[in-house]
Amino acid sequence: MIPFLDLKKINEPYEAAFQEKLKSVLENGWYILGKEVETFEKSFAEYCQSKYCIGVGNGFDALVLIFKGYIALGKLKKGDEVIVPANTYIASILAILEADLVPVLIEPRLETYNINPELIPEKITSKTKAILAVHLYGQLAEMQKINEIAEKHDLIVVEDAAQSHGVKINKSQNKNSKFQNYDVTLSGVEESQSASAFSFYPGKNLGCLGDGGAITTNDEKLAKVLFSLRNYGSEKKYHNEYVGINSRLDELQAGFLNLKLPNLDSDNEKRRAIAKRYLSEIENDKIVLPFWDLSRNHVFHLFVIRTENRAHLQECLAQNNIQTIIHYPIPPHQQKAFSQWNNLSFPITEKIHREVLSLPISPIMTESDVNFVIKTLNQY
Ligand SMILES: *Cc1c(COP(=O)(O)O)cnc(C)c1O
């Protein structure tokens, strides 16, 4: 059996270190916002080349808090519109709603599954105040173009980086790609008017043993508000400056993340090595492989193929003991929860949700597992 993602095996090498960490937290007797969280915030900020990192309870809260932070600073207000890709994981859209803002859905490019910047300008109204860029499946969105649009229309750029820990830009390689105009930059780490939300849900590229999340930003004012907002809007105990929430990264989870962060780059490299093999060795007219320019702008949180008869392919792979998952089966605008959007039409988004299938990919996948997946797909 080739499981889609074997989390137990991914965490196995850390078992002894995790036990030690638990012991040290127990001995320390400090469980919330202590040394482990501080250390992680410092290391993760450094890793992202960002000035500030704020540990929070999960990826969803990271997004909500960024929006609430901008509201507290007077840069956003209730009812403002936020542009977001129509095919994102629903959490991105729910976070906008949770902050009393209005999501405006925009179609992605079929080739990259990321938001199509060319479609953004026509959706901008006097109420549009922000763009939530999502680096879906681990591939950087077209940040240069998004940032240009944002600058021109004075919009805030927020990044949902829940699937893309560790993405990097490699401009020189990007120039040679067939999508020459896809000039990407990491905005969250360079722009002061920007913030990125991360999730450490166990299945993400950097995952803890429960829920966890973080925000990175270079904006000092925003960071200051966020450190307070995640802790009831209070920096000094029992003195509340803002209407905050409780969303703190646990000491213990931060401790586990401190042990795993040093291996994130090599783990991502292993994912890319498998992706390279899939891309060069899977040859089947019935299967569309994902676009990638071979640079480090993709961390392959997911390796997503497309095929017209998905149910049949998934069944065939299952019969060969290869587990696959659909990310995601129902587009947000067709979910029951969003009945107000159910009659809207997003043909590219709908096609993606009808045809995508995610193959197993992870840093612990063996060579023979990869061989078998390739062979099975080529025989299909
Ligand atoms: C996982 C995920 C989130 C939410 O993260 P949680 O930690 O589960 O709250 C948000 N956006 C995207 C794109 C995700 O994949």
Side-chain angles (χ1 to χ4, degrees):
M1 164 81 172
I2 301 178
F4 179 71
L5 183 65
D6 191 343
L7 282 177
K8 188 163 180 279
K9 205 167 149 197
I10 282 180
N11 284 316
E12 236 162 42
Y14 299 97
E15 197 180 322
F18 284 165
Q19 300 278 13
E20 274 301 304
K21 192 63 84 177
L22 170 63
K23 202 163 155 243
S24 94
V25 170
L26 276 174
E27 275 167 11
N28 202 337
W30 193 271
Y31 314 111
I32 301 279
L33 298 184
K35 278 202 199 98
E36 294 290 346
V37 171
E38 245 172 64
T39 303
F40 178 73
E41 287 175 338
K42 203 160 163 272
S43 319
F44 198 63
E46 208 168 288
Y47 176 83
C48 297
Q49 296 168 49
S50 190
K51 278 195 200 132
Y52 305 96
C53 169
I54 301 98
V56 298
N58 54 66
F60 174 75
D61 284 355
L63 287 166
V64 175
L65 283 166
I66 291 171
F67 291 125
K68 290 197 170 190
Y70 282 122
I71 290 171
L73 289 172
K75 292 189 173 178
L76 288 178
K77 60 174 191 313
K78 191 178 168 169
D80 282 349
E81 290 174 3
V82 181
I83 283 167
V84 63
N87 64 318
T88 185
Y89 177 54
I90 200 161
S92 325
I93 293 166
L94 289 172
I96 295 170
L97 290 168
E98 183 69 22
D100 283 328
L101 303 168
V102 179
V104 174
L105 308 182
I106 292 199
E107 288 266 59
R109 284 195 209 266
L110 185 59
E111 294 82 2
T112 63
Y113 309 117
N114 275 329
I115 195 165
N116 184 347
E118 283 158 29
L119 303 178
I120 295 177
E122 66 201 55
K123 289 288 180 83
I124 293 175
T125 72
S126 59
K127 284 188 165 178
T128 310
K129 291 292 174 316
I131 301 173
L132 176 54
V134 183
H135 309 307
L136 201 68
Y137 306 151
Q139 180 160 239
L140 210 61
E142 293 164 65
M143 293 313 297
Q144 178 142 328
K145 284 190 184 160
I146 291 169
N147 285 330
E148 276 167 20
I149 296 166
E151 202 166 319
K152 191 168 161 204
H153 298 270
D154 197 20
L155 310 177
I156 288 166
V157 176
V158 177
E159 289 173 84
D160 183 337
Q163 303 190 355
S164 61
H165 320 66
V167 282
K168 306 220 164 55
I169 173 156
N170 189 337
K171 276 186 179 159
S172 58
Q173 262 172 317
N174 212 52
K175 268 189 201 130
N176 300 326
S177 81
K178 73 173 170 159
F179 286 82
Q180 282 195 31
N181 50 344
Y182 279 36
D183 199 6
V184 286
T185 60
L186 251 186
S187 95
V189 299
E190 286 172 356
E191 311 292 313
S192 60
Q193 253 240 344
S194 175
S196 300
F198 292 87
S199 162
F200 307 119
Y201 181 82
K204 309 286 184 179
N205 286 27
L206 177 62
C208 55
L209 305 186
D211 276 313
I215 299 160
T216 57
T217 183
N218 282 343
D219 184 334
E220 187 184 347
K221 283 192 191 125
L222 180 68
K224 199 168 176 309
V225 174
L226 290 172
F227 278 119
S228 166
L229 276 182
R230 70 158 177 202
N231 192 27
Y232 296 120
S234 135
E235 249 186 304
K236 191 174 160 204
K237 207 165 189 179
Y238 307 131
H239 290 71
N240 301 73
E241 244 184 294
Y242 304 100
V243 183
I245 63 172
N246 173 4
S247 183
R248 301 171 295 223
L249 178 62
D250 285 353
E251 271 295 278
L252 197 53
Q253 298 302 343
F256 297 149
L257 289 168
N258 282 327
L259 295 168
K260 291 182 83 174
L261 179 59
N263 295 326
L264 178 56
D265 277 343
S266 64
D267 281 352
N268 283 341
E269 206 48 65
K270 286 175 194 161
R271 287 172 182 271
R272 280 192 286 262
I274 295 168
K276 266 184 195 155
R277 287 205 54 202
Y278 280 165
L279 284 170
S280 63
E281 295 175 48
I282 296 172
E283 287 182 56
N284 187 324
D285 290 347
K286 296 189 273 309
I287 293 167
V288 181
L289 298 169
F291 167 75
W292 176 35
D293 65 11
L294 301 180
S295 80
R296 290 187 297 165
N297 73 347
H298 206 325
V299 292
F300 285 95
H301 173 58
L302 298 169
F303 190 95
V304 178
I305 60 169
R306 267 192 357 258
T307 189
E308 273 177 24
N309 196 344
R310 173 176 63 191
H312 185 250
L313 175 59
Q314 189 171 33
E315 175 55 30
C316 170
L317 290 169
Q319 272 165 14
N320 282 283
N321 290 316
I322 298 169
Q323 193 188 12
T324 55
I325 296 184
I326 297 166
H327 297 94
Y328 301 90
I330 306 170
H333 72 279
Q334 291 181 338
Q335 295 283 359
K336 271 194 197 147
F338 295 145
S339 56
Q340 71 274 29
W341 295 333
N342 284 176
N343 54 5
L344 296 183
S345 159
F346 293 95
I348 297 173
T349 295
E350 286 154 29
K351 181 178 170 66
I352 288 169
H353 286 77
R354 226 172 20 241
E355 297 184 353
V356 287
L357 189 66
S358 306
L359 302 181
I361 190 164
S362 78
I364 48 130
M365 226 181 140
T366 64
E367 201 180 331
S368 68
D369 284 350
V370 178
N371 292 344
F372 186 67
V373 171
I374 293 167
K375 193 177 123 207
T376 311
L377 284 168
N378 287 345
Q379 284 169 354
Y380 170 71

